[in-house]
Amino acid sequence: MHSRQGGLSTPETPAHPIRRITSFRSRRSTITDAQQDAWDRLWPRLGTLARSGGPEPAPRLDTAEWFGRRAPLVCEIGCGTGTSTLAMAQAEPDIDVIAVEVYRRGLAQLLSAIDREAVANIRMIRGDGVDVLEHQIGPATLTGVRVFFPDPWPKSRHHKRRLLQPQTVALIADRLRTGGVLHAATDHAGYAQQIAEVGDAEPLLRRAQPDESLPISSVRPSTKYEMKARHAGSPVTELLWVKRP
Ligand SMILES: C[S@@+](CC[C@H](N)C(=O)[O-])C[C@H]1O[C@@H](n2cnc3c(N)ncnc32)[C@H](O)[C@@H]1O
């Protein structure tokens, strides 16, 4: 397996007309020839770019048209290589999943896996998940939002880069329909505490009860990232909230 260089190495950071502190860093990546082939074949149908605000408001996603059906909708922000995305979508074929990621190589891996496993209920957006929620998804649309192992930005001067801040959690809560679920998981103790505080302070959300029946599954597969964290002795904190009526 070799990776293509040069023209096919693309910047990972989408342009922001209005500069905002982002939860990701700019990086370049290359993808393999096989991934590029899957990308060329499938991306036009299964993927799109995030749209941010500009002079023209971005159109809302027409998910019924995109998925070819109406089904409960989940948005996963920062899907990485899509290990959880794929397994969870396969476990719940009646739920549609939009996976958002800035990292093209991760999306290319997920796209190849979708192709190989013939999974029908995943679509992908490349770009900033905050843009997607803000501009492309309407209020009370989502049955679930998943954020698994968001970058912890451990240095205190970088905490402002963390994805799950009060404004983003408020935006997520607004985009959830009543009874919809915000599911976050992290192996970083400090970030876990911040997420817990921010989620608990959001008036539109309440903690899910331990045995509560939820409209989406909260069963995640263990990813490579998570196994590494566990081996390093970092316990994983699972956080679940439900949107209030
Ligand atoms: C630590 S990785 C975890 C990946 C995956 N969720 C997992 O559990 O293996 C965090 C991922 O979030 C992505 N990311 C960070 N901020 C993002 C944002 N605002 N929108 C979309 N993706 C983002 C990064 O590119 C990175 O791939």
Side-chain angles (χ1 to χ4, degrees), residues 23-24 27 76-81 84 100-103 127-130 148-152 163 223 225:
S23 57
F24 50 89
R27 52 180 169 170
E76 182 181 348
I77 301 178
C79 67
T81 55
S84 305
V100 189
E101 176 54 65
V102 284
Y103 178 41
D128 189 339
V130 179
F148 298 151
F149 304 95
D151 297 303
L163 178 67
T223 63
Y225 181 87

